Amino acid sequence: MNINDVTASVADELELFRKRYRELLRRQNTLVDKVTRYVLRQQGKQIRPAMVLLSAAVSGGVTESSYRAAIMVELLHSATLIHDDVVDGAEMRRGLPSINAVWKNKISVLIGDYLLSRGLLYSLDSGDYGFLHQVSDAVRRMSEGEILQIQKTRSLDITEEDYLSVISDKTASLIASSCAMGAMSATTDEESVAALKRYGEYLGLAFQIRDDLLDYTGDSKKTGKEMGIDIRDKKITLPLIHALSKAAPSEQKRIRSILKSSGKRAMKRGEVIEFVKRMDGLTYAAGVAEGFAEESRRALDRFPESSAKRSLLNLVDFVMNRQH
């Protein structure tokens, strides 16, 4: 099963969303238009807009405001990815040179700001104040999550609670808001909106843990990247956090010594990977991810059977079974 199979129940709606999204980004300013057209070339699977549309469909049906919500979510997501690439110094994005690699940091930051402002103005022009509240809260959480991760990475004292707080804010917040906005575009029933927001929050947590596991288990031929990149970049995720919590003090000290040195991280990341496997860090993290996936599925219990509900359930399975 691929993502197109999962989202097939809203395939026509996704195509209309893409058309409207492209039209919104067309500008007369030559450089802005040139960069935004490049942004469109970098578009990924557009899972978040699909989740908006699926959440609308399961709540009563896709409406005009559903498309506006999907566009707003994608504008925000694109803006945050551009800003992330600047913060991380990333030079590639989905197989293409990143915006900052082509146009440098100043243009990248301004284009990210431009996309965010376009989304905010788009909602204001349409009177979608509920969407604005959801998006503003997601932006706040994403920023706080990024700052907490930087703080904890520097001190190497990140706990499981810290990690879950970081990924809840950095990753799950926008997925949760996407689902809530989709529901809000189709129904006024607050319990349905809350249920779909829970679905998105738990799915986002499961997604990020599975993604972090791939750094230890992924096939570089499929993923296009070598194992241990998170370790090399001093990104401490749940498998390593759990392994350290179970290790003897002497072994904790040895692993932390590797993590503190960029040279050691580059040379000995294989040693860290083996340590995590030996301490059952992968098994533990996989179990936590499955727990969140089950909570995500349970959040859909209140909705009647439909193709959209099956798609949302299949999306959980897709996240849990992904290999790259």
Side-chain angles (χ1 to χ4, degrees):
M1 181 182 292
N2 61 40
I3 192 60
N4 291 328
D5 296 327
V6 173
T7 60
S9 62
V10 289
D12 292 342
E13 289 85 352
L14 268 171
E15 193 53 44
L16 182 55
F17 149 76
R18 292 184 182 112
K19 179 183 176 184
R20 293 184 179 186
Y21 185 64
R22 287 193 299 268
E23 288 172 352
L24 183 73
L25 285 182
R26 287 203 186 99
R27 308 306 297 165
Q28 295 302 314
N29 182 307
T30 306
L31 182 56
V32 171
D33 185 60
K34 187 174 183 179
V35 180
T36 51
R37 277 191 283 114
Y38 190 80
V39 170
L40 287 170
R41 287 180 60 199
Q42 290 183 322
Q43 293 303 302
K45 300 180 180 74
Q46 296 181 320
I47 292 176
R48 288 157 192 81
M51 294 180 76
V52 172
L53 297 171
L54 286 168
S55 297
V58 83
S59 302
V62 173
T63 65
E64 278 300 310
S65 66
S66 306
Y67 292 108
R68 295 197 299 270
I71 288 170
M72 192 176 181
V73 162
E74 188 66 6
L75 284 167
L76 172 58
H77 182 54
S78 296
T80 57
L81 290 180
I82 292 169
H83 284 164
D84 284 350
D85 286 345
V86 173
V87 170
D88 298 339
E91 298 200 348
M92 298 294 290
R93 166 67 60 185
R94 294 180 180 130
L96 291 170
S98 61
I99 304 294
N100 49 298
V102 178
W103 282 282
K104 309 305 179 188
N105 286 349
K106 186 180 290 187
I107 292 293
S108 298
V109 170
L110 291 171
I111 286 294
D113 291 347
Y114 168 78
L115 292 177
L116 178 57
S117 66
R118 285 291 290 156
L120 297 176
L121 285 169
Y122 184 59
S123 286
L124 281 170
D125 290 344
S126 305
D128 295 324
Y129 302 114
F131 295 166
L132 279 170
H133 186 275
Q134 289 289 335
V135 163
S136 298
D137 189 54
V139 171
R140 174 192 63 80
R141 289 181 62 191
M142 291 162 79
S143 302
E144 288 179 354
E146 186 72 51
I147 291 167
L148 178 60
Q149 184 177 51
I150 291 169
Q151 174 193 340
K152 291 296 180 177
T153 298
R154 285 175 177 168
S155 58
L156 283 178
D157 64 348
I158 187 166
T159 64
E160 181 173 336
E161 183 181 2
D162 293 329
Y163 167 81
L164 293 176
S165 179
V166 166
I167 67 171
S168 174
D169 286 344
K170 277 190 64 177
T171 302
S173 61
L174 185 55
I175 295 175
S177 290
S178 300
C179 294
M181 289 163 68
M184 290 164 62
S185 74
T187 183
T188 57
D189 179 51
E190 292 183 3
E191 289 187 9
S192 293
V193 174
L196 280 159
K197 188 163 189 173
R198 281 198 309 277
Y199 164 85
E201 182 80 24
Y202 287 124
L203 180 63
L205 290 166
F207 172 89
Q208 189 58 60
I209 295 171
R210 291 296 305 174
D211 194 64
D212 291 341
L213 276 166
L214 289 175
D215 196 58
Y216 291 89
T217 63
D219 182 343
S220 61
K221 292 180 181 177
K222 292 181 179 179
T223 62
K225 64 177 184 179
E226 55 191 311
M227 288 171 55
I229 296 298
D230 286 348
I231 296 166
R232 186 198 67 188
D233 295 340
K234 204 181 175 184
K235 183 181 176 186
I236 303 173
T237 58
L238 186 56
L240 179 53
I241 291 167
H242 179 76
L244 283 168
S245 74
K246 296 299 179 185
S250 59
E251 192 156 35
Q252 284 187 30
K253 185 177 180 180
R254 180 177 66 84
I255 296 299
R256 289 184 190 279
S257 166
I258 294 172
L259 296 173
K260 285 177 183 177
S261 165
S262 58
K264 285 183 180 178
R265 289 197 306 272
M267 295 282 292
K268 297 189 175 183
R269 53 184 158 167
E271 193 174 320
V272 177
I273 290 172
E274 287 306 312
F275 161 74
V276 169
K277 290 179 177 178
R278 179 163 44 83
M279 301 303 295
D280 289 328
L282 303 186
T283 303
Y284 177 79
V288 173
E290 185 52 56
F292 286 133
E294 188 52 39
E295 290 290 340
S296 185
R297 295 183 189 101
R298 196 173 295 130
L300 298 175
D301 285 348
R302 66 176 284 107
F303 299 99
E305 288 303 313
S306 66
S307 59
K309 180 177 177 178
R310 285 194 296 276
S311 291
L312 288 170
L313 289 169
N314 287 339
L315 185 55
V316 180
D317 295 337
F318 175 79
V319 164
M320 294 305 293
N321 294 322
R322 62 192 285 258
Q323 299 298 315
H324 55 86

